[in-house]
Amino acid sequence: MIKENLSKIKNSLPEHVTLVAVSKTKPVADLQEAYDAGQRVFGENKIQEMVDKYDALPKDIKWQMIGHLQSNKVKYMAHFVDLIHGVDKFSTLKEIDKQAKKHDRVIACLLQAKIAKEETKFGLSFEDIAAILSSSELVALENIRIVGFMGMATFTDNTAQLNEEFSALKNFFDTQKLKSDTENCHLEILSMGMSGDYPLAIENGSTMIRVGSAIFGSRNYN
Ligand SMILES: *Cc1c(COP(=O)(O)O)cnc(C)c1O
């Protein structure tokens, strides 16, 4: 079913939208099946799990960290991670920069914006993001590159509310894109949309969707 699910989703996507296959909690065999069907971008939310899968699977996979970050674990993925979605603290950017430097890499990062009304979702306010982007300290972080924003909408069927949350982030993204274009900040990715809401996210300007259960089936945990 993984192959069929993937091609159904891929065929419906506009050219400019990247599909991240969210494989958290799923066994390596499931990822291999998606890989064999042509999928190369995978998202995981736990660093250790991503490292184990990186070791087990082909090396042309792009591994993206979509989960909440613990700074002390950044070092375990710094040699291979393709994109980090969930940055919600300046100190985390510093740690990513430090670890990337050790491997002579520049690691692409997305700042996570809080757009949901729910208490539980992580993320920065738009004000905090603007402050980070205009901070003079950012210039010194030569081994990171901020390439966009990530947002998770409220878990709801309310289309009006989802549109409101997605479009607020898109508008903010467009404004910041004009303002901040420096050596290590070039905004081009807007990561919004999951299995339940990605068509709406795309309508609202998403360029990257993170889809798990619609590809791999439902999860027992996480
Ligand atoms: C699990 C997860 C997803 C995918 O969720 P689905 O509803 O299974 O598509 C997307 N983004 C983040 C940050 C996640 O943790």
Side-chain angles (χ1 to χ4, degrees), residues 22 24 45 66 150 152 194-196 210-214 219 222:
V22 176
K24 61 189 186 193
N45 73 337
I66 63 168
M150 184 267 241
M152 272 172 103
M194 316 186 4
S195 292
R210 310 174 309 270
V211 179
S213 46
R219 295 175 296 270
N222 270 295

Side-chain angles (χ1 to χ4, degrees), residues 89-116:
K89 276 195 233 62
F90 192 78
S91 60
T92 307
L93 280 178
K94 280 193 185 163
E95 177 63 16
I96 297 169
D97 179 69
K98 182 176 146 195
Q99 298 302 333
K101 198 164 280 166
K102 290 183 185 166
H103 298 279
D104 201 22
R105 298 186 69 213
V106 173
I107 297 181
C109 300
L110 303 177
L111 297 178
Q112 182 169 354
K114 181 171 159 56
I115 54 172

Side-chain angles (χ1 to χ4, degrees), residues 51-63:
V51 170
D52 292 345
K53 287 172 172 174
Y54 165 78
D55 288 339
L57 284 155
K59 292 296 172 283
D60 61 338
I61 289 177
K62 292 181 169 168
W63 293 99

Side-chain angles (χ1 to χ4, degrees), residues 73-138:
K73 291 190 180 164
V74 168
K75 57 176 175 280
Y76 301 118
M77 64 174 175
H79 58 297
F80 70 93
V81 68
D82 174 65
L83 175 66
I84 300 178
H85 289 239
V87 178
D88 67 353
K89 276 195 233 62
F90 192 78
S91 60
T92 307
L93 280 178
K94 280 193 185 163
E95 177 63 16
I96 297 169
D97 179 69
K98 182 176 146 195
Q99 298 302 333
K101 198 164 280 166
K102 290 183 185 166
H103 298 279
D104 201 22
R105 298 186 69 213
V106 173
I107 297 181
C109 300
L110 303 177
L111 297 178
Q112 182 169 354
K114 181 171 159 56
I115 54 172
K117 305 283 180 291
E118 295 155 338
E119 278 305 315
T120 53
K121 304 233 157 109
F122 295 103
L124 295 153
S125 68
F126 291 170
E127 270 183 336
D128 291 341
I129 290 180
I132 288 177
L133 295 183
S134 62
S135 149
S136 56
E137 271 187 272
L138 182 62

